[in-house]
């Protein structure tokens, strides 16, 4: 069971590292891997159920924060709400397709497309793919489907007072296969988005964070390709054991960020990053593509100074992340 979960990781070095060192992983790690993997949501539920059974057969308590039973209840709630959409006028689904682009992240969208049922949404997504697939590369695109309860009070819709906000959001690949879920936290005004992603619950840092032990070392250059959920391939240089990194921002400037938190490529702030870069990172040998010439020129003894310099100027960057909506203003 545990080996099957580790094999959900696409990164070859990380997968081999964990397969050979399973003692580094806790039950929470296995739950995180399932939640963060780019696989169909019902498969996640099935694997979580088996993880529960495995825990019951063990004398050790292995879950501190991310108990799989809670995740299963969460998935059932989100999918149950989707099945309840029946065209009776009380709820509305709105679909929007995002086109991942290396320069602007996933900010290029087409839609919205309102429908009255999940079956209608599936039919619309299939029709869209059938019409545009011959003219447009849809392999780097994904769907965001939002469920609105029309009975909600729009004055209680933080942070956009006066406009309804979705109760649930479903992220699906181009064929309509749901892989990630988000819902408004239960409360008076639903001010926070919970998500089934890498860190299981919570939108912080766009939801994709995972804290897996990795084999990467300072000076490693990684290629990261999280398509269709983010631009790719992208390149960054590992700065320390915490996986802080340096990356080119597209105009021959070097920025600093964090691979586990997803801030490791140009345009990350405009990306609905549901899949953690840790899942798709792989070491690459020099030389890098011409666009990464600035990154390639960094010597090992320059990394600490560059990281400090970048970090000190980071607060001056005019980017404010709207963590409640997983988007940037």
């Amino acid at each position: 069971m545990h080996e099957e979960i580790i094999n959900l990781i696409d990164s070859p070095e990380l997968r081999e590292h964990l397969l050979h060192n399973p003692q580094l992983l806790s039950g929470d790690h296995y739950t995180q891997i399932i939640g963060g993997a780019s696989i169909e949501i019902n498969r996640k539920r099935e694997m979580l159920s088996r993880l529960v059974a495995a825990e019951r057969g063990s004398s050790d308590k292995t879950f501190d924060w991310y108990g799989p039973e809670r995740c299963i209840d969460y998935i059932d709630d989100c999918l149950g709400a989707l099945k309840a959409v029946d065209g009776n006028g009380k709820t509305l689904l709105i679909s929007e397709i995002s086109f991942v682009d290396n320069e602007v992240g996933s900010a290029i969208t087409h839609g919205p497309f309102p429908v009255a049922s999940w079956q209608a949404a599936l039919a619309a997504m299939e029709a869209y793919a059938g019409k545009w697939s011959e003219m447009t590369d849809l392999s780097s695109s994904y769907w965001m489907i939002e469920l609105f309860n029309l009975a909600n009070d729009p004055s209680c819709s933080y942070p956009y007072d006066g406009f309804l906000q979705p109760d649930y959001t479903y992220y699906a690949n181009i064929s309509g296969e749901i892989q990630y879920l988000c819902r408004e936290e239960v409360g008076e005004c639903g001010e926070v988005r919970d998500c089934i992603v890498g860190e299981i619950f919570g939108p912080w840092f766009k939801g994709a964070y995972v804290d897996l032990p990795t084999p990467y070392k300072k000076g490693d250059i990684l290629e990261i390709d999280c398509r269709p959920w983010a631009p790719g391939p992208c390149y960054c240089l590992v700065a320390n054991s915490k996986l802080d990194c340096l990356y080119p921002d597209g105009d021959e400037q070097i920025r600093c960020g964090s691979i586990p938190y997803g801030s490791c490529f140009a345009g990350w702030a405009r990306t609905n990053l549901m899949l953690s870069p840790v899942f798709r990172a792989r070491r690459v040998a020099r030389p890098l593509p011409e666009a990464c010439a600035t990154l390639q020129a960094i010597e090992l003894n320059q990394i600490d100074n560059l990281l400090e310099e970048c970090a000190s100027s980071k607060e001056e960057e005019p980017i404010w992340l709207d963590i409640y909506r997983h988007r940037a203003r």
Side-chain angles (χ1 to χ4, degrees):
M1 175 73 209
H2 290 163
E3 183 174 322
E4 180 182 353
I5 295 172
I6 294 172
N7 279 320
L8 296 176
I9 297 171
D10 295 302
S11 169
E13 294 93 0
L14 179 57
R15 185 174 60 246
E16 290 303 311
H17 176 64
L18 297 180
L19 285 173
H20 287 92
N21 298 279
Q23 74 280 1
L24 299 176
L25 297 177
S26 67
D28 286 346
H29 285 128
Y30 289 110
T31 310
Q32 279 189 309
I33 294 171
I34 296 172
S38 185
I39 59 174
E40 200 271 330
I41 195 66
N42 284 298
R43 184 182 173 199
K44 293 185 182 185
R45 190 193 187 285
E46 183 268 337
M47 295 187 77
L48 288 166
S49 296
R50 289 164 56 201
L51 197 60
V52 170
E55 182 195 27
R56 288 173 180 165
S58 171
S59 59
D60 298 325
K61 178 176 174 55
T62 58
F63 303 104
D64 293 323
W65 296 99
Y66 307 123
E69 297 99 329
R70 185 184 174 203
C71 301
I72 292 169
D73 290 342
Y74 184 101
I75 292 173
D76 289 345
D77 176 69
C78 292
L79 295 183
L82 191 61
K83 293 176 182 176
V85 179
D86 55 9
N88 61 9
K90 296 180 181 179
T91 54
L92 177 67
L93 290 176
I94 293 183
S95 302
E96 182 179 78
I97 188 168
S98 292
F99 298 91
V100 170
D101 182 271
N102 279 353
E103 293 185 2
V104 298
S106 58
I108 301 175
T109 60
H110 192 190
F113 308 111
V115 293
S117 71
W118 175 239
Q119 289 304 316
L122 285 173
M125 288 186 280
E126 182 180 358
Y128 186 99
K131 178 179 180 179
W132 294 104
S133 59
E134 294 184 1
M135 296 175 281
T136 304
D137 180 12
L138 298 179
S139 64
S140 296
S141 303
Y142 65 87
W143 291 96
M144 181 177 73
I145 304 100
E146 297 178 318
L147 190 156
F148 292 81
N149 184 340
L150 302 182
N152 286 350
D153 179 2
S155 66
C156 190
S157 298
Y158 186 92
Y160 305 107
D161 292 339
F163 296 94
L164 280 176
Q165 294 303 298
D167 285 353
Y168 300 88
T169 304
Y170 309 86
Y171 293 88
N173 63 14
I174 188 60
S175 64
E177 178 186 90
I178 296 173
Q179 297 189 358
Y180 301 102
L181 305 167
C182 292
R183 72 178 179 190
E184 291 288 350
E185 185 181 68
V186 177
E188 183 180 352
C189 274
E191 296 181 355
V192 177
R193 300 287 280 175
D194 277 345
C195 291
I196 283 284
V197 286
E199 69 166 352
I200 304 301
F201 294 106
W204 310 106
F205 301 99
K206 316 194 83 175
Y209 175 77
V210 295
D211 63 350
L212 298 175
T214 72
Y216 306 119
K217 298 179 176 60
K218 179 178 179 179
D220 284 346
I221 295 181
L222 304 181
E223 178 186 271
I224 299 172
D225 192 344
C226 286
R227 289 177 294 180
W229 309 106
C234 306
Y235 299 87
C236 63
L237 186 150
V238 177
N240 54 37
S241 60
K242 297 185 297 182
L243 296 190
D244 290 329
C245 68
L246 301 170
Y247 65 91
D249 68 356
D251 59 1
E252 299 186 354
Q253 298 295 314
I254 294 295
R255 301 288 186 186
C256 63
S258 168
I259 297 169
Y261 289 118
S263 54
C264 54
F265 57 90
W268 68 269
R270 296 178 293 276
T271 302
N272 288 321
L273 188 59
M274 308 305 291
L275 174 64
S276 171
V278 172
F279 280 81
R280 293 277 180 88
R282 62 181 65 218
R283 289 192 186 99
V284 291
R286 302 169 190 252
L288 298 177
E290 185 176 345
C292 299
T294 307
L295 187 69
Q296 183 172 281
I298 298 174
E299 300 293 340
L300 195 63
N301 60 4
Q302 297 176 301
I303 293 176
D304 290 341
N305 289 338
L306 281 172
L307 186 65
E308 184 177 351
E309 181 182 340
C310 288
S312 64
S313 63
K314 202 169 186 181
E315 293 182 0
E316 301 173 9
E317 297 180 14
I319 294 176
W320 179 77
L321 289 183
D322 180 354
I323 58 176
Y324 298 104
R325 300 284 294 140
H326 292 230
R327 295 177 177 173
R329 279 184 170 180

